[in-house]
Amino acid sequence: MALVPVTELLLHAEREGYAIGAFNANNMEIIQAIAEAAEKENSPVIMQASQGAINYAGLEFITGMVKIAAEATRVPIALHLDHGTDFGQIIKCIRSGFSSIMYDGSKLPLEQNIAITNKILEICRPIGVSVEAELGKIGGTEDDIHVSQKEAMYTDPEEARIFVEKTGVDSLAIAIGTAHGQYKGDPKLDFVRLKEIKELVKVPIVLHGSSGVSDESIRKAISLGVCKINIDTNIREAFVGEMRRRMAEKPGEIDPRKLLGPAKDAAVTIIREKIKIFGSSGKAEKYSLD
Ligand code: G3H
Ligand code: 13P
Ligand code: ZN
């Protein structure tokens, strides 16, 4: 299939009470793994590339590989820019064929975040590219901050209402206690805040930093309106963990394919598990663009 926009995927997920997995596409093997997992689960899926992934692999390589993967599968696949902060790069991604972009203005004051998101929307709307924005700050687990400081960074429900009203953005990433990277303990999500936000905001909600969040919390978040769930760290752990095991077993191995092949298979396994938890297995069939 050709690449699909994200908005239709999310609205379908919202209607049916499941979530679409948005998996970070960092190299060829991970792109192949996401496509294979989606196909095996008969699930729609989002492949997302961060600025770091684009700098690493090159924009044309990322777009080319994801397009090839999408065209070789029967399930709907979207290509999304993850945490875009640079206007020029966002335009390059759109020109390269991304079907969706995230503009991350979360570090900016509200009015400035609104103004730039609107500028991006003006460009994306006529060409059918979906736009995700972020409100509140989703930090990293490595950020050494106290709980009270963290809560101060959470998304304010009233600001979320104003933001969506003034932009009409397609989806909104919120901060409710998740963080990017590996957690030290069990992350506690602020479900009361999520519920308040969802009551005020009528667009699909996105959960970042979802690796390491318990299955129970993920299911609860979905039941409260989250319908895009970002996973990167759990794939890195599975992929690199398998490479490490193989290298320890056979320290003399010099064929990269003998390390990367099993690493890809480990990524397929974890992505399939996530897709099942998100409830999107089998949803490719029911999905329709109308
Ligand atoms: O949002 C964070 C993602 O895990 C991307 O991380 O910037 O290292 O590619 P990255
Ligand atoms: P994790 O790496 O914590 O899964 O977060 C991924 C993410 O939010 C990408 O935007
Ligand atoms: Zn993120």
Side-chain angles (χ1 to χ4, degrees):
M1 263 178 100
L3 292 173
V4 300
V6 163
T7 314
E8 287 82 355
L9 293 179
L10 298 190
L11 292 175
H12 187 268
E14 192 171 44
R15 274 199 307 276
E16 298 219 348
Y18 65 97
I20 308 275
F23 301 103
N24 282 72
N26 285 313
N27 63 12
M28 182 186 78
E29 285 79 9
I30 292 175
I31 290 170
Q32 289 172 327
I34 303 167
E36 188 178 324
E39 185 116 272
K40 285 193 168 137
E41 290 300 322
N42 197 20
S43 168
V45 79
I46 298 166
M47 298 210 194
Q48 56 187 12
S50 68
Q51 296 182 151
I54 292 169
N55 291 340
Y56 168 74
L59 181 60
E60 299 310 329
F61 272 98
I62 290 278
T63 315
M65 290 189 292
V66 173
K67 277 186 183 166
I68 290 165
E71 273 154 25
T73 59
R74 295 166 293 105
V75 295
I77 294 180
L79 173 56
H80 174 77
L81 170 65
D82 189 29
H83 293 283
T85 52
D86 179 71
F87 191 78
Q89 195 191 39
I90 288 171
I91 301 301
K92 281 187 195 155
C93 287
I94 295 168
R95 290 190 66 169
S96 178
F98 279 49
S99 56
S100 175
I101 63 105
M102 173 186 190
Y103 170 64
D104 180 355
S106 60
K107 290 192 177 71
L108 303 173
L110 180 66
E111 286 307 323
Q112 213 177 331
N113 190 358
I114 289 172
I116 302 178
T117 302
N118 274 333
K119 204 165 133 191
I120 309 267
L121 276 161
E122 222 174 282
I123 295 160
C124 291
R125 279 274 176 272
I127 51 174
V129 170
S130 311
V131 179
E132 172 183 332
E134 178 174 325
L135 203 58
K137 294 184 188 71
I138 303 150
T141 49
E142 71 285 358
D143 298 345
D144 201 10
I145 46 176
H146 299 292
V147 178
S148 57
Q149 286 172 296
K150 270 189 198 155
E151 282 173 3
M153 291 156 54
Y154 287 2
T155 309
D156 177 73
E158 183 54 18
E159 281 195 6
R161 186 190 64 76
I162 295 167
F163 186 90
V164 171
E165 207 171 274
K166 289 193 173 178
T167 59
V169 76
D170 298 306
S171 61
L172 186 68
I174 56 163
I176 54 163
T178 58
H180 295 111
Q182 289 179 308
Y183 293 98
K184 289 188 189 94
D186 268 354
K188 297 239 173 319
L189 272 55
D190 188 342
F191 291 116
V192 174
R193 188 180 296 264
L194 170 57
K195 199 160 179 277
E196 276 171 27
I197 294 169
K198 193 58 203 168
E199 273 160 16
L200 296 171
V201 161
K202 299 298 169 213
V203 295
I205 301 294
V206 182
L207 194 66
H208 284 244
S210 308
S211 297
V213 176
S214 71
D215 298 352
E216 193 193 342
S217 291
I218 290 287
R219 289 196 186 98
K220 184 153 187 194
I222 295 170
S223 75
L224 292 173
V226 164
C227 40
K228 173 175 179 274
I229 300 189
N230 288 11
I231 299 281
D232 186 3
T233 299
N234 281 159
I235 303 175
R236 296 180 185 202
E237 289 165 343
F239 192 90
V240 178
E242 188 58 32
M243 284 178 68
R244 277 211 188 92
R245 265 189 297 283
R246 298 277 163 165
M247 283 191 274
E249 260 169 41
K250 282 193 176 178
E253 182 58 68
I254 58 138
D255 185 343
R257 296 166 299 186
K258 302 233 166 87
L259 303 170
L260 292 166
K264 185 193 84 178
D265 294 341
V268 172
T269 304
I270 185 75
I271 296 164
R272 288 188 71 178
E273 278 169 24
K274 296 292 174 188
I275 287 174
K276 284 192 180 95
I277 295 161
F278 302 163
S280 76
S281 299
K283 298 293 185 187
E285 251 159 50
K286 293 187 180 176
Y287 171 81
S288 116
L289 272 171
D290 55 33

